[in-house]
């Protein structure tokens, strides 16, 4: 009986640790937007009939959260349109497509079909949800998005995918892992502070780089929940965990054919390990990817202390959209 209680208590402790991690992730993602700099208004728009038409809560699957919002530009006479998908932040446990309405409206005002997609969030009520299942929901959604646009007379011939924090992680997974199954060519990936690496040595801020049983067990528990796989301390020690986590490790899918990418990270990030961002940067270099990497050297997860650098990031996003996905 005591051993059963002990196991139950241990499971509860692990659950609480995992939930705390995701909660900190969600809080860190939101901090950038508590006080917005004046220049941020350049990349936000209030949606009106002059911009286009908004179709909300379109279904792409059977789950409650399998909904997307589609912003169609007013100009509806072109033969083809570029699609910009922007995935919401929230630490994989919170957030909603509606929170990105202003930036999605801005994309639409530039002539793109813009889409925000919800996905099933990890919670005590939905413990089966994880980064992998969320990534598969996004993969399921994209063909439905394109089909729906076609119904309204907007033929999609190319796309960009982006997001912040958790949304950035999911966007990278789709752009890098799922590039060959996308129904239209992916021309661009952009986003900020999304985790791309699950090498334990990168996660030093959580102590996972320590060569101890405790650190290996902690890494196995957290990474196992994130990837929806069973991991053990032995797998962490012998390195076999990496292949198990490849489906959610965007950096492991980067190659010489990886799409142009614009990313931003904070050097003092205590949520998404900065070492993972450095690994992503080196992988871009090794594979000659057309990338722009913005290092916010005074900021954490919210990039709140580097407004000039973050503005350069947004300006570059706009430049890369024009370069690779002209709306004209």
């Amino acid at each position: 009986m005591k051993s059963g209680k002990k196991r139950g208590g241990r499971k509860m402790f692990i659950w609480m640790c995992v939930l705390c991690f995701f909660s900190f992730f969600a809080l860190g993602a939101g901090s950038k937007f508590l006080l917005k700099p004046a220049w941020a208004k350049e990349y936000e728009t209030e949606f009106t009939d002059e911009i286009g038409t908004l179709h909300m809560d379109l279904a792409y699957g059977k789950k409650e959260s399998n909904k997307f919002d589609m912003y169609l530009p007013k100009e509806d006479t072109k033969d083809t349109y570029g699609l910009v998908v922007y995935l919401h932040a929230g630490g994989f446990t919170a957030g909603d497509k509606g929170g990105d309405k202003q930036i999605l409206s801005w994309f639409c005002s530039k002539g793109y079909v813009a889409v925000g997609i919800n996905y099933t969030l990890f919670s005590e009520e939905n413990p089966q949800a994880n980064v992998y299942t969320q990534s598969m929901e996004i993969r399921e959604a994209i063909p439905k998005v394109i089909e729906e646009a076609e119904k309204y007379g907007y033929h999609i011939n190319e796309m960009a995918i982006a997001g912040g924090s958790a949304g950035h992680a999911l966007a990278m997974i789709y752009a890098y892992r799922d590039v060959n199954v996308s129904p239209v060519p992916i021309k661009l990936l952009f986003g900020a502070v999304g985790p791309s690496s699950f090498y334990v040595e990168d996660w030093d801020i959580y102590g996972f780089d320590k060569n101890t049983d405790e650190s290996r067990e902690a890494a196995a528990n957290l990474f196992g929940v994130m990837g929806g796989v069973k991991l053990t301390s032995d797998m962490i020690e012998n390195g076999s965990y990496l292949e198990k986590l490849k489906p959610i490790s965007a950096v492991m899918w980067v190659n010489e054919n990886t799409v142009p990418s614009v990313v931003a990270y904070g050097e003092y990030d205590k949520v998404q390990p900065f070492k993972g961002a450095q690994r992503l940067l080196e992988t871009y270099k090794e594979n000659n990817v057309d990338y722009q990497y913005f290092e916010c050297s005074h900021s954490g997860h919210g990039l709140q202390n580097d407004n000039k650098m973050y503005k350069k990031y947004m300006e570059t996003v706009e430049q890369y959209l024009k370069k690779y996905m002209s709306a004209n």
Side-chain angles (χ1 to χ4, degrees):
M1 181 65 70
K2 286 184 179 180
S3 62
K5 288 183 178 180
K6 186 175 181 180
R7 285 194 298 271
R10 188 176 186 82
K11 286 182 67 176
M12 179 59 69
F13 175 74
I14 291 171
W15 169 260
M16 291 302 296
C17 288
V18 169
L19 203 58
C20 282
F21 164 79
F22 286 122
S23 297
F24 288 140
F25 206 118
L27 288 171
S31 61
K32 171 67 190 174
F33 307 102
L34 296 179
L35 280 175
K36 294 182 180 180
W39 61 261
K41 295 179 180 178
E42 299 174 23
Y43 302 97
E44 295 180 347
T45 302
E46 294 297 331
F47 195 82
T48 67
D49 292 341
E50 293 301 309
I51 292 175
T53 306
L54 172 58
H55 299 275
M56 300 179 67
D57 292 326
L58 301 171
Y60 68 85
K62 296 181 180 179
K63 297 178 181 177
E64 183 179 353
S65 297
N66 292 167
K67 301 288 194 300
F68 64 91
D69 293 343
M70 176 176 285
Y71 300 68
L72 298 174
K74 189 171 184 179
E75 168 57 68
D76 61 356
T77 60
K78 296 191 301 183
D79 292 333
T80 59
Y81 292 82
L83 167 69
V84 178
V85 173
Y86 195 89
L87 304 176
H88 71 78
F92 307 104
T93 65
D96 183 86
K97 53 187 170 51
D100 296 317
K101 185 174 183 179
Q102 290 183 317
I103 193 170
L104 286 164
S105 299
W106 181 76
F107 291 134
C108 185
S109 74
K110 297 298 181 181
Y112 303 106
V113 172
V115 170
I117 303 174
N118 275 358
Y119 43 89
T120 304
L121 301 172
F122 174 78
S123 67
E124 194 169 1
E125 292 73 32
N126 290 306
Q128 77 286 351
N130 52 65
V131 179
Y132 176 71
T133 61
Q134 291 167 351
S135 74
M136 295 306 290
E137 288 182 10
I138 299 304
R139 178 170 169 166
E140 176 187 2
I142 301 301
K144 300 293 185 182
V145 165
I146 293 170
E147 288 175 14
E148 197 68 26
E150 193 77 43
K151 291 179 184 178
Y152 291 106
Y154 292 75
H155 178 67
I156 304 296
N157 69 327
E158 58 188 11
M159 68 174 287
I161 189 164
S165 193
H168 180 208
L170 294 170
M172 284 190 289
I173 292 170
Y174 187 81
Y176 302 163
R177 186 194 70 189
D178 297 333
V179 62
N180 292 326
V181 299
S182 177
V184 296
I186 304 171
K187 293 301 186 75
L188 178 64
L189 173 285
F190 61 94
V193 299
S196 66
S197 164
F198 291 93
Y199 290 81
V200 289
E201 55 266 36
D202 293 346
W203 288 66
D204 57 325
I205 57 174
Y206 293 92
F208 293 172
D209 59 326
K210 307 297 183 185
N211 186 26
T212 66
D213 290 337
E214 290 77 12
S215 68
R216 287 189 287 270
E217 184 173 4
N221 288 327
L222 179 57
F223 289 174
V225 169
M226 295 181 77
V229 293
K230 176 65 176 177
L231 298 179
T232 65
S233 297
D234 289 342
M235 294 171 73
I236 300 295
E237 187 171 21
N238 63 33
S240 61
Y241 73 97
L242 286 171
E243 194 62 29
K244 291 276 189 178
L245 293 173
K246 185 176 180 179
I248 65 167
S249 300
V251 73
M252 296 179 70
W253 296 91
V254 173
N255 57 43
E256 65 275 7
N257 297 315
T258 290
V259 301
S261 301
V262 182
V263 300
Y265 286 94
E267 185 175 349
Y268 293 96
D269 199 329
K270 299 302 181 186
V271 181
Q272 191 288 136
F274 182 61
K275 283 188 177 181
Q278 293 174 301
R279 183 183 295 274
L280 179 64
L281 172 61
E282 291 305 313
T283 306
Y284 286 157
K285 292 177 179 178
E286 291 168 5
N287 288 278
N288 296 312
V289 175
D290 180 359
Y291 74 92
Q292 293 291 326
Y293 172 88
F294 294 88
E295 189 170 296
C296 297
S297 58
H298 304 95
S299 296
H301 197 64
L303 307 184
Q304 65 272 31
N305 299 322
D306 289 275
N307 280 324
K308 289 184 179 179
M309 184 63 72
Y310 197 77
K311 184 179 182 182
K312 288 182 180 179
Y313 159 76
M314 287 303 301
E315 289 171 345
T316 304
V317 166
E318 187 173 12
Q319 291 166 7
Y320 266 56
L321 279 169
K322 290 178 180 178
K323 180 178 181 179
Y324 290 105
M325 284 190 39
S326 174
N328 297 322

